[in-house]
Amino acid sequence: MKRKLVFATHNAHKLDEVRDIVKDNFEIVSLTDIGCFDDIEESGSTLEDNARIKARFVKEKYGYDCFGDDSGLEVDALNGAPGVYSARYAGGNGHDSEANVKKLLHEMEGASDRKAHFRTVIVLLLDGKEYQFDGRVDGTITSTPQGNDGFGYDPVFQPDGFDKTFAQLGMEVKSEISHRARAVKKLCEFLKGF
Ligand code: IMP
């Protein structure tokens, strides 16, 4: 029988990505699948903290081995902001991508150093041990939004080696080189060998 492992997310796209790769070894289930609809508070001050908070919440409340993830955009000229606050950079409950992008471009007005990177951290709790996997993609912040694909800061993030933003390049490129794809790849390599 395959081992059950919870991915502390409701995001179907993220689930599919991992499920497909580790399907021979693990049955990956979501928070929805285990009936967890709690609003897990992302109260950490780092991406690592938040990924760990999500994984530990599930382990402690439901007893399942689990992994959680957190991602963010870290901009050099802003000393790593918005970072862990990426989703709620412009305030409110967050996830207002248009407002977040607008604030970012405002903060970057006149900045000559436009270097930035996306980072994803995954924390896995398995057999009483904790493991961490991370992924990163480097690039620059454009001066105006370009492209319609993707979400979040994709319209203003141009990955190194490309002359288009993530929102112009689309999923095919993103699923190869994104921070999330790179962290997930490391997690899956680890799980496949288990
Ligand atoms: P999450 O941890 O994957 O939910 O990401 C937190 C926030 O970081 C999102 O709400 C976005 O604002 C930003 N973010 C993370 N990954 C991406 C990405 O691939 N493209 C654009 N924005 C992202």
Side-chain angles (χ1 to χ4, degrees):
M1 209 169 82
K2 277 190 283 186
R3 293 186 58 173
K4 190 179 278 197
L5 190 57
V6 177
F7 186 175
T9 184
H10 293 288
N11 184 318
H13 173 76
K14 288 185 185 177
L15 276 159
D16 283 347
E17 206 170 273
V18 183
R19 251 182 201 147
D20 193 52
I21 304 175
V22 300
K23 59 181 179 286
D24 293 340
N25 310 46
F26 288 89
E27 181 195 354
I28 305 292
V29 297
S30 69
L31 292 177
T32 315
D33 294 328
I34 61 166
C36 172
F37 297 100
D38 302 84
D39 190 14
I40 307 172
E41 205 187 340
E42 297 186 23
S43 55
S45 55
T46 62
L47 299 175
E48 286 79 0
D49 285 349
N50 280 344
R52 187 176 297 110
I53 285 170
K54 291 184 223 177
R56 285 197 180 158
F57 181 89
V58 170
K59 182 70 196 169
E60 278 160 26
K61 184 161 177 188
Y62 297 88
Y64 292 120
D65 279 343
C66 179
F67 59 93
D69 74 320
D70 201 24
S71 304
L73 175 71
E74 298 176 333
V75 179
D76 288 10
L78 303 178
N79 298 317
V84 73
Y85 304 107
S86 292
R88 51 206 145 107
Y89 190 40
N93 289 335
H95 300 287
D96 182 346
S97 294
E98 219 178 293
N100 288 338
V101 164
K102 203 168 156 198
K103 175 165 179 187
L104 177 67
L105 292 180
H106 178 71
E107 298 290 328
M108 296 286 290
E109 257 168 34
S112 53
D113 178 3
R114 304 193 71 87
K115 286 198 294 296
H117 55 267
F118 278 116
R119 206 158 65 84
T120 292
V121 177
I122 295 174
V123 169
L124 167 71
L125 301 178
L126 189 62
D127 293 340
K129 291 201 187 96
E130 182 180 304
Y131 305 90
Q132 199 171 299
F133 307 90
D134 51 25
R136 168 178 168 144
V137 57
D138 288 273
T140 50
I141 302 299
T142 55
S143 51
T144 54
Q146 288 155 47
N148 300 308
D149 275 0
F151 72 104
Y153 299 91
D154 281 348
V156 291
F157 183 82
Q158 184 172 301
D160 288 348
F162 295 84
D163 58 4
K164 290 186 167 72
T165 66
F166 262 164
Q168 292 171 302
L169 291 165
M171 271 313 289
E172 207 172 313
V173 172
K174 231 185 133 180
S175 61
E176 278 298 312
I177 66 160
S178 85
H179 47 310
R180 192 171 303 99
R182 286 173 172 161
V184 163
K185 216 171 270 180
K186 289 184 192 169
L187 168 76
C188 292
E189 281 309 311
F190 176 80
L191 291 177
K192 273 200 288 189
F194 224 79

